């Protein structure tokens, strides 16, 4: 039996499931009828938001999904959002609002990445929650995000299953203990941050621009503004075969071009603007010089016209006739038309008039849709008809035909059924609304940093003042690095401290050194150097150290073998010391002995450094100073951009002052 709902496997697609609680045994046909009525109510309630929205690829949709295994019958939808991630988060907002409007519904939502809501709130999740045990735990209920917890010990909490819950178990827990499964405020805030501002945010995501377009496209976009997405996608994803249809335009002639205002989403506008394209000379689309004040409008119109021509070129030339033939031969058409007349669909219009014929064409498309795909879209069809009759939604907002026809077929249908007057369209050129500023396409480094901070849910860091910069304590860098090293890491990675003030930094240097003394034995007086011992510890293979620990914990009969192994190891390290003593690698580190004269005089030449490199005894390395010096040198070489030093320090909550003087930091610095 299928206990869990499989995660979405379609790339750039989001799936959403709506369940009815309590999950009581019901007759399958009765349950189906109940869920289909819910679909009608939901789509009617949210039609004002969904209908005018310009979707990147596919709209929000719901259909009945029958029971399969342990997963009960429910409402299901899937939307391919493509490159516009805002479509996905708008759907999250819609799903959340549905559960708020209908408290008896529970929703879960996931995409090709899995539980992307948990990914968004990853910084605030409890440690027990990971991808392996998160199945069927995350839901929306009554407008709140819920996470079903896991029992720390099997049987400790009677209502929690010992394993990830099945869908029926999860629905029962949500309906019985709704107040005990609410996600924490920090997790709720992380998710709400992404959907904050809807539905007003929809208008902010739009961009209006002037385009020099053929009159046919202008007429189509006046009736169906959402078709701009299909046109942009056709141009953006074109291939050489598609461009064959654009050598000589057959549908949208360049001679009929007029200036108009087109509404894009910012994603669609960016896709159209950023692509470089030179039209075929045979197409007739001649471009003005780049210095022309309306060059951008000509370029946008040319690209969009290519997209619309590609869409229409993929249609069968006989699709319209076959559709009409299908209407006349279907035995259900007469009954469907009669029901429309009884519901006052035609509003008393005279049969044969232009408005009557327009509504009749809409009804035919609806009918073809409900017959060809009755399971998926019939009730959605009735909803839009209801909205058209009762809610008086403008006809230009109805997006019925995209579910029945391809975008190209819909465009050709509009051109055939809704004639336009070029002269009337030209008169509108003088009264076009102003274009929106597209400066949002160009991001400065500061704006990019701010966007990244907002995406990460962090407050923008306040700039460091000159006084703070002069008194900046560099020990914070070394202490934070020590705290990071002292963290316990696993095969999943190391844990970075979220805030520097969360816990005091604790680093026991004595315990650290004693640990190695236990491995290597007492430190001999004739050791070559203290600092090279520390360096050579970094060269030791972790497997060797583990092996040494294992040898030491064995019986007393193996002590001689252990002693011999340690002697060999020290002999090997001594040979390395001798080889390194004749190189200049020691000069690259600042030693404690070098810092003594620097603290007394600033211009002292380090002659002792040369003798220290070649002598038999080397002074200890100042680990903190070398660490800070190397990090500052790396930070300076970033030239204000993101890099390993700044990223590592920021992850540990350390903010360095801006490197305004760009002075080298590789030389020894006064502590």
């Amino acid at each position: 039996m299928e206990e869990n709902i499989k995660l979405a496997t379609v790339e750039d697609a989001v799936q959403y499931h709506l369940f009815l609680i309590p999950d009581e045994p019901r007759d399958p046909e009765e349950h189906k009828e109940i869920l289909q009525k819910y679909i009608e109510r939901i789509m009617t309630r949210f039609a004002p938001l969904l209908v005018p929205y310009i979707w990147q690829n596919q709209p929000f949709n719901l259909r009945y999904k029958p029971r399969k295994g342990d997963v009960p019958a429910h409402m299901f939808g899937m939307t391919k959002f493509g490159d516009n991630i805002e479509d996905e988060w708008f759907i999250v907002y819609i799903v959340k609002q549905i559960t708020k409007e209908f408290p008896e519904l529970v929703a879960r939502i996931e995409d090709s990445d899995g539980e992307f809501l948990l990914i968004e709130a990853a910084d605030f999740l409890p440690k027990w929650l990971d991808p392996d045990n998160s199945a069927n735990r995350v839901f929306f209920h009554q407008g709140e995000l819920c996470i079903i917890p896991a029992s720390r010990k099997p049987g400790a909490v009677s209502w929690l299953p010992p394993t990830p819950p099945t869908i029926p178990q999860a629905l029962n827990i949500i309906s019985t203990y709704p107040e005990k499964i609410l996600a924490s405020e920090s997790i709720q805030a992380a998710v709400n941050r992404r959907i904050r501002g809807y539905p007003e945010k929809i208008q902010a995501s739009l961009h209006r621009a002037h385009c020099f377009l053929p009159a046919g496209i202008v007429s189509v976009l006046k009736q169906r503004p959402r078709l701009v997405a299909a046109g942009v996608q056709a141009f953006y994803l074109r291939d050489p075969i598609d461009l064959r249809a654009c050598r000589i335009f057959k549908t949208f002639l360049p001679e009929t071009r007029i200036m108009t205002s087109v509404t894009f989403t910012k994603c669609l506008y960016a896709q159209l603007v950023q692509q470089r394209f030179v039209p075929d000379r045979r197409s007739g689309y001649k471009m003005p010089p780049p210095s022309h004040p309306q060059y951008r409008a000509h370029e946008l119109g040319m690209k969009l016209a290519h997209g619309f021509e590609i869409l229409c070129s993929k249609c069968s030339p006989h699709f319209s006739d076959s559709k009409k033939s299908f209407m006349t031969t279907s035995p259900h058409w007469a009954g469907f038309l009669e029901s429309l007349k009884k519901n006052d669909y035609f509003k008393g219009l005279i049969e044969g008039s232009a408005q009557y014929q327009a509504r009749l064409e809409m009804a035919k498309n609806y009918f073809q849709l409900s017959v060809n795909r009755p399971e998926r879209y019939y009730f959605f069809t009735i909803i839009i008809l209801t909205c058209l009759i009762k809610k008086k939604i403008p006809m230009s907002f109805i997006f019925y035909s995209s579910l029945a026809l391809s975008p190209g077929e819909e465009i050709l249908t509009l051109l055939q059924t809704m004639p336009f007057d070029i002269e009337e369209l030209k008169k509108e050129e003088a009264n076009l609304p102003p274009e929106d500023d597209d400066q949002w396409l160009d991001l400065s480094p500061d704006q990019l940093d701010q966007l990244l901070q907002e995406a990460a849910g962090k407050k923008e860091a306040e700039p460091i003042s000159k006084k703070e910069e002069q008194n900046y304590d560099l020990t914070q860098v070394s202490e934070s690095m020590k705290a990071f090293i002292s963290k316990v890491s696993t095969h999943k990675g190391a844990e970075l401290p979220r805030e520097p003030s969360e816990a005091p930094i604790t680093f026991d240097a004595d315990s650290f050194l004693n640990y190695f003394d236990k491995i290597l034995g007492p430190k001999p007086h004739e050791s070559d150097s203290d600092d090279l011992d520390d360096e050579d510890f970094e060269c030791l293979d972790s497997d060797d150290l583990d092996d040494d620990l294992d040898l030491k914990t064995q019986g007393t009969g193996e002590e001689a073998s252990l002693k011999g192994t340690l002697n060999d190891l020290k002999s090997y390290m001594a040979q390395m010391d001798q080889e390194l003593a004749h190189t200049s690698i020691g000069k690259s580190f600042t030693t404690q002995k070098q810092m003594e004269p620097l603290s007394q005089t600033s211009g002292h030449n380090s002659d002792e450094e040369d003798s220290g490199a070649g002598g038999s005894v080397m002074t200890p390395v100042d680990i903190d100073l070398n660490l800070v010096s190397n990090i500052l040198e790396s930070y300076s070489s970033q030239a204000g951009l993101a890099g390993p030093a700044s990223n590592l320090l920021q992850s540990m909550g350390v903010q360095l002052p801006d490197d305004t003087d760009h002075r080298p930091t590789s030389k020894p610095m006064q502590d």
Side-chain angles (χ1 to χ4, degrees), residues 213-231:
L213 285 169
I217 299 179
V218 176
S219 176
V220 168
L221 291 179
K222 284 173 67 71
Q223 301 295 328
R224 307 284 187 271
R226 58 175 179 78
L227 283 176
V228 67

Side-chain angles (χ1 to χ4, degrees), residues 453 460-464 468 472-473 476-477 500 635 646 649-658:
Q453 292 280 355
E460 185 178 2
E462 297 181 359
I464 298 178
E468 292 175 338
Y472 191 85
D473 187 7
Q476 183 182 3
V477 177
Y635 181 75
S646 59
L649 292 175
Q650 287 180 7
S651 66
M652 295 186 293
V654 178
Q655 182 188 5
L656 289 177
D658 293 333

Side-chain angles (χ1 to χ4, degrees), residues 319 323 365 405 409-418:
F319 84 94
K323 180 184 67 173
N365 283 323
L405 304 173
E409 291 172 343
E410 185 177 359
I411 292 169
L412 293 178
T413 301
L414 290 172
L415 293 176
Q416 294 173 5
T417 59
M418 298 181 180

Side-chain angles (χ1 to χ4, degrees), residues 358-387:
R359 287 181 172 266
L360 182 62
E361 285 297 322
M362 292 175 63
K364 288 180 179 180
N365 283 323
Y366 278 126
F367 177 74
Q368 183 187 20
L369 170 65
S370 62
V371 171
N372 287 342
R373 305 174 188 176
E375 189 66 44
R376 182 168 184 177
Y377 296 117
Y378 177 73
F379 278 87
F380 181 77
T381 299
I382 300 302
I383 293 160
I384 299 300
L385 285 174
T386 304
C387 292

Side-chain angles (χ1 to χ4, degrees), residues 259 287-298:
M259 192 66 70
M287 298 294 295
S291 58
H292 193 279
Q294 294 182 336
Y295 176 80
R296 176 59 64 86
H298 281 76

Side-chain angles (χ1 to χ4, degrees), residues 244-492:
R244 291 179 183 176
C246 300
R247 292 174 181 173
I248 300 177
F249 278 65
K250 298 179 180 179
T251 306
F252 303 107
L253 304 179
E255 295 80 10
T256 64
R257 286 180 293 175
I258 58 176
M259 192 66 70
T260 188
S261 178
V262 178
T263 300
F264 302 87
T265 63
K266 288 185 176 180
C267 179
L268 293 171
Y269 180 78
Q271 286 181 325
L272 205 61
V273 168
Q274 297 298 331
Q275 285 225 342
R276 295 183 180 180
F277 179 73
V278 178
D280 193 296
R281 293 183 179 180
R282 292 168 289 182
S283 66
Y285 280 85
K286 297 181 180 179
M287 298 294 295
S291 58
H292 193 279
Q294 294 182 336
Y295 176 80
R296 176 59 64 86
H298 281 76
E299 184 184 35
L300 290 174
M302 176 269 296
K303 293 177 179 179
L304 198 55
H306 278 71
F308 273 77
E309 187 72 19
I310 290 172
L311 290 174
C312 294
S313 68
K314 295 181 178 181
C315 300
S316 170
H318 306 293
F319 84 94
S320 181
D321 296 335
S322 63
K323 180 184 67 173
K324 294 177 181 178
S325 175
F326 174 80
M327 296 296 171
T328 58
T329 57
S330 174
H332 304 288
W333 166 245
F336 181 73
L337 183 60
E338 187 65 25
S339 66
L340 291 180
K341 292 179 179 179
K342 289 182 180 180
N343 287 307
D344 194 26
Y345 170 72
F346 291 101
K347 297 288 187 179
L349 296 172
I350 300 174
E351 187 171 352
S353 64
Q355 293 182 351
Y356 182 93
Q357 291 298 327
R359 287 181 172 266
L360 182 62
E361 285 297 322
M362 292 175 63
K364 288 180 179 180
N365 283 323
Y366 278 126
F367 177 74
Q368 183 187 20
L369 170 65
S370 62
V371 171
N372 287 342
R373 305 174 188 176
E375 189 66 44
R376 182 168 184 177
Y377 296 117
Y378 177 73
F379 278 87
F380 181 77
T381 299
I382 300 302
I383 293 160
I384 299 300
L385 285 174
T386 304
C387 292
L388 184 64
I389 295 171
K390 297 182 179 180
K391 301 292 183 180
K392 299 181 181 180
I393 294 178
M395 291 176 60
S396 60
F397 285 158
I398 302 301
F399 59 101
Y400 68 94
S401 56
S402 66
L403 303 175
L405 304 173
S406 69
E409 291 172 343
E410 185 177 359
I411 292 169
L412 293 178
T413 301
L414 290 172
L415 293 176
Q416 294 173 5
T417 59
M418 298 181 180
F420 56 89
D421 188 351
I422 297 181
E423 295 302 323
E424 289 295 327
L425 295 176
K426 286 185 176 180
K427 292 179 182 179
E428 298 178 1
E429 290 183 340
N431 299 318
L432 294 179
E435 293 182 288
D436 292 339
D437 190 358
D438 62 359
Q439 289 297 318
W440 53 268
L441 285 171
D442 303 320
L443 288 179
S444 65
D446 293 338
Q447 291 174 326
L448 180 59
D449 289 340
Q450 182 179 357
L451 289 176
L452 293 176
Q453 292 280 355
E454 293 175 356
K458 300 177 182 178
K459 296 182 179 180
E460 185 178 2
E462 297 181 359
I464 298 178
S465 63
K466 288 188 176 181
K467 184 177 181 180
E468 292 175 338
E469 183 176 341
Q470 292 175 355
N471 299 327
Y472 191 85
D473 187 7
L474 291 176
T475 58
Q476 183 182 3
V477 177
S478 60
E479 294 299 327
S480 298
M481 187 66 67
K482 291 177 181 178
F484 168 67
I485 294 175
S486 65
K487 289 281 184 178
V488 177
S489 61
T490 66
H491 65 282
K492 296 182 179 180

